[in-house]
Amino acid sequence: MPPSPHPAGPTPASTSESEYRIEDLAQRSGATVRTIRAYQDKGLLPKPGRRGRANVYDDSHLARLQQIADLLERGYTLASIRELLQAWDEGRGLAGVLGLVTEVDGPWTDEVSGRISRAELGELFGGEYDEEAVSEAVALGVLEPLPGREDEFRVPSPQELSVAAELHKAGVPLPAITGQLRELRGQVEHIAARFLDFTNEHVFVRYLGVHLSDGDASEAADLVRRLRPLAQQTVEAELGRAMQKFAARNLRDHLRSAAAAPTDPVPAEPARTAPIRLPTETVEAVGALVGEERVSDFIAAAAEREVRARQMDRMSTEGR
């Protein structure tokens, strides 16, 4: 009978490794005996050694089972895991590859997930608990059911849920919010795919379609770590630019509509919201200053200047 495994795990290199029967290995690794044998048949796990008539396993088998379990949890198939492990067995290194896997599969945001109960969810949305909307939120991944806890959800992005609550408080119906999120998600995923295509073409092309050495994989992982925030920063900057551009245009449209006399024809482009009506004395004062025909342009320019001034004030405050 082989000696019992050391309770502290793998032993130092200067001493002999622990040896396990298959039942002991299953207990230490969390895998079943049947799974261990299946991994051997698929070439994922090296064959055991022999001690007389008994098969014996060692710490390398235990480490391999732990690696397989980690990769399976990350969503890799047994076929892709076998390719990774084969690369390691051929001396091409696995530490760097696993580091790259960890870097790519890691969270791409610093936001911390949270939890919320059904009662808290109803309270967050003004006392309105809509089971259909909750089901839609679960389908979109905004809420994740917790096993064994029917009255509680995991919230991957509390910020996203908070935005939905604010929109609902402003009067947006729940189906409209989930519909908008579904549409937005498709557009954002398109942007993400384009960004990845761009970086693959210009940055990661030298790593594609080749067997990575340990050094290459570590280098690629470092690149992912450095480039990871760039996509988010670019989207945030462009979204801010676009919002300023279209918000200013939208405001000008409203102001021109508000400055027009009630008898004037309705503008060719319908306003997206109810027009803003300015006091008559304000319109008359502007007309006396710049002329009746230039009232709309003057008010639009003044509003745009105010928007820009406030943005500059905010930027200087943030800088301080």
Side-chain angles (χ1 to χ4, degrees):
M1 179 180 294
S4 300
H6 298 294
T11 58
S14 59
T15 61
S16 60
E17 288 186 326
S18 300
E19 292 184 348
Y20 312 93
R21 297 170 301 176
I22 191 169
E23 294 81 6
D24 299 327
L25 182 64
Q27 184 177 7
R28 290 292 297 271
S29 66
T32 65
V33 170
R34 181 177 180 180
T35 297
I36 293 173
R37 287 175 174 154
Y39 287 167
Q40 287 176 203
D41 294 339
K42 294 179 181 296
L44 292 164
L45 194 67
K47 293 182 179 180
R50 299 285 294 182
R51 291 290 183 270
R53 300 178 61 184
N55 290 331
V56 293
Y57 300 82
D58 56 33
D59 289 328
S60 66
H61 294 90
L62 179 60
R64 177 62 62 88
L65 287 172
Q66 292 168 341
Q67 290 165 349
I68 294 172
D70 181 63
L71 291 169
L72 283 173
E73 187 175 349
R74 295 175 185 275
Y76 287 81
T77 64
L78 288 178
S80 59
I81 293 173
R82 182 170 57 190
E83 292 179 2
L84 286 173
L85 297 177
Q86 184 179 2
W88 189 24
D89 291 338
E90 292 174 357
R92 285 185 266 128
L94 186 62
V97 174
L98 291 179
L100 177 58
V101 168
T102 300
E103 198 63 47
V104 172
D105 285 351
W108 284 64
T109 174
D110 295 331
E111 189 176 11
V112 179
S113 65
R115 293 189 178 191
I116 192 170
S117 66
R118 290 180 184 268
E120 291 170 335
L121 193 60
E123 183 178 348
L124 182 63
F125 285 86
E128 177 183 351
Y129 185 85
D130 188 324
E131 189 64 46
E132 184 177 347
V134 170
S135 298
E136 182 72 5
V138 170
L140 287 167
V142 177
L143 300 174
E144 294 180 356
L146 293 172
R149 304 181 69 92
E150 295 182 359
D151 292 330
E152 193 172 14
F153 299 94
R154 177 178 177 270
V155 185
S157 173
Q159 181 177 342
E160 189 172 50
L161 185 63
S162 177
V163 169
E166 287 297 322
L167 289 172
H168 184 257
K169 188 183 299 184
V172 183
L174 291 175
I177 294 173
T178 54
Q180 177 68 15
L181 176 58
R182 190 179 296 277
E183 180 181 351
L184 178 64
R185 181 167 295 178
Q187 294 169 345
V188 171
E189 288 178 354
H190 174 72
I191 293 173
R194 291 295 302 271
F195 188 83
L196 288 176
D197 289 343
F198 172 80
T199 52
N200 283 340
E201 179 181 356
H202 297 285
V203 180
F204 294 105
V205 62
R206 58 184 178 275
Y207 303 111
L208 302 178
V210 299
H211 293 296
L212 295 179
S213 67
D214 199 51
D216 289 338
S218 297
E219 183 179 286
D222 182 62
L223 275 173
V224 171
R225 192 178 305 112
R226 287 160 45 198
L227 296 178
R228 172 181 290 176
L230 296 186
Q232 184 173 352
Q233 291 170 3
T234 302
V235 170
E236 286 180 354
E238 284 300 304
L239 179 61
R241 180 198 62 79
M243 286 298 295
Q244 179 181 352
K245 173 182 177 181
F246 289 110
R249 180 185 300 173
N250 186 262
L251 180 60
R252 284 197 302 270
D253 292 342
H254 288 323
L255 291 174
R256 287 195 179 103
S257 175
T263 56
D264 288 347
V266 178
E269 182 180 349
R272 295 177 177 83
T273 59
I276 301 171
R277 297 296 178 184
L278 297 179
T280 302
E281 57 270 19
T282 300
V283 177
E284 291 176 350
V286 173
L289 180 65
V290 300
E292 295 291 340
E293 71 282 358
R294 304 184 65 186
V295 168
S296 297
D297 290 338
F298 181 88
I299 293 177
E304 186 170 355
R305 184 174 66 178
E306 178 65 19
V307 170
R308 291 182 180 276
R310 292 191 181 190
Q311 183 183 27
M312 292 172 65
D313 290 342
R314 185 175 66 253
M315 292 172 63
S316 61
T317 300
E318 292 173 352
R320 289 195 298 269

